[in-house]
Amino acid sequence: MVVHLNAIGPVSLVIIGIVALLIFGPKKLPELGKAFGSTLREFKKGTKGLIDDDDHDTKKVIEHKEQNK
């Protein structure tokens, strides 16, 4: 079963927001949002480093193959 982001509509987002507000309360919700944002930012930095390393390794392999021809 594949779930696309299109399956989550505006009504679903509102319901999720209301449930989160009821569970965590209005004081804790901004703190959770800030923590989620910083976690997402760190994740992006980490994956960008992995992608850059992978591209660098690929270039080395290509250069090595060209030199050995």
Side-chain angles (χ1 to χ4, degrees):
M1 182 169 112
V2 177
V3 177
H4 297 282
L5 289 179
N6 295 340
I8 300 175
V11 176
S12 300
L13 291 176
V14 169
I15 292 172
I16 291 170
I18 291 171
V19 170
L21 188 61
L22 289 173
I23 292 173
F24 298 112
K27 291 183 181 178
K28 196 72 170 173
L29 208 55
E31 295 174 18
L32 291 172
K34 184 178 177 182
F36 178 73
S38 63
T39 302
L40 186 60
R41 197 169 19 257
E42 288 295 320
F43 179 75
K44 283 183 179 181
K45 285 180 187 176
T47 55
K48 182 171 174 29
L50 290 175
I51 291 171
D52 291 343
D53 289 345
D54 192 33
D55 288 343
H56 184 68
D57 292 343
T58 304
K59 288 178 184 176
K60 280 184 177 179
V61 169
I62 291 171
E63 289 172 0
H64 182 70
K65 284 182 180 180
E66 288 175 354
Q67 289 174 355
N68 289 337
K69 283 186 178 182

